[in-house]
Amino acid sequence: METFNVKSRILMEMESLIARSSSKREMTPKNKSFHEAIIKKHYNAVDVNIDYHRSRVKMNVVMDESGYDPKTVNMDLVVLPTNLFFKNLRDFLKSCLEGDAKSIAFYAKLMKDLSSKETVHLAV
């Protein structure tokens, strides 16, 4: 059996999660936030809204981050309102996956956050 490096395993798991989350008829809030996080990361976007019935993604793509200051509220970021059409949600989300180190770290954290939300905590 072939051994895969961590990067390949993370990308394969992300593709698997995308396939499972996009195949359901009714979108849960958890799946919706998962999809939005992938799109926000890929497009450097804010205010992502997915219209699953019309196959559209509305978002504001940040055009210039030079005025960004993490210590203050940023009201003057230059954004481009965007309305994208997709034919197949799963293929669209898979096309948003990137293989650079920063993206892989983001996907690993996203998967960890998703798995911790799925864990049932019981009070004893």
Side-chain angles (χ1 to χ4, degrees):
M1 184 172 168
E2 240 177 63
T3 59
F4 292 101
N5 61 19
V6 174
K7 177 180 171 182
S8 298
R9 288 181 28 208
I10 289 174
L11 287 173
M12 285 175 50
E13 184 60 29
M14 282 296 292
E15 288 181 4
S16 175
L17 284 170
I18 288 170
R20 281 183 283 174
S21 67
S22 61
S23 65
K24 298 177 180 167
R25 291 211 178 260
E26 193 160 324
M27 257 331 118
T28 63
K30 180 183 73 167
N31 288 340
K32 186 173 169 136
S33 66
F34 173 65
H35 297 164
E36 289 173 354
I38 293 170
I39 294 168
K40 284 179 182 180
K41 169 72 176 107
H42 180 70
Y43 287 102
N44 192 25
V46 294
D47 300 327
V48 173
N49 186 10
I50 304 170
D51 185 345
Y52 293 97
H53 300 292
R54 293 180 49 216
S55 301
R56 297 233 178 242
V57 177
K58 290 183 181 180
M59 63 186 152
N60 290 321
V61 178
V62 177
M63 299 300 294
D64 182 22
E65 291 183 355
S66 63
Y68 177 73
D69 182 9
K71 297 175 187 157
T72 63
V73 176
N74 297 283
M75 299 298 290
D76 295 329
L77 288 178
V78 179
V79 295
L80 175 68
T82 307
N83 187 350
L84 295 177
F85 171 77
F86 59 87
K87 285 188 176 184
N88 182 305
L89 178 63
R90 182 179 63 223
D91 293 339
F92 172 69
L93 291 172
K94 283 183 180 181
S95 74
C96 292
L97 296 179
E98 301 173 34
D100 62 297
K102 186 177 178 183
S103 296
I104 296 298
F106 174 80
Y107 302 145
K109 183 176 178 349
L110 186 60
M111 287 187 300
K112 181 180 180 231
D113 291 346
L114 280 174
S115 66
S116 67
K117 289 179 183 177
E118 291 174 358
T119 305
V120 177
H121 298 283
L122 298 175
V124 181

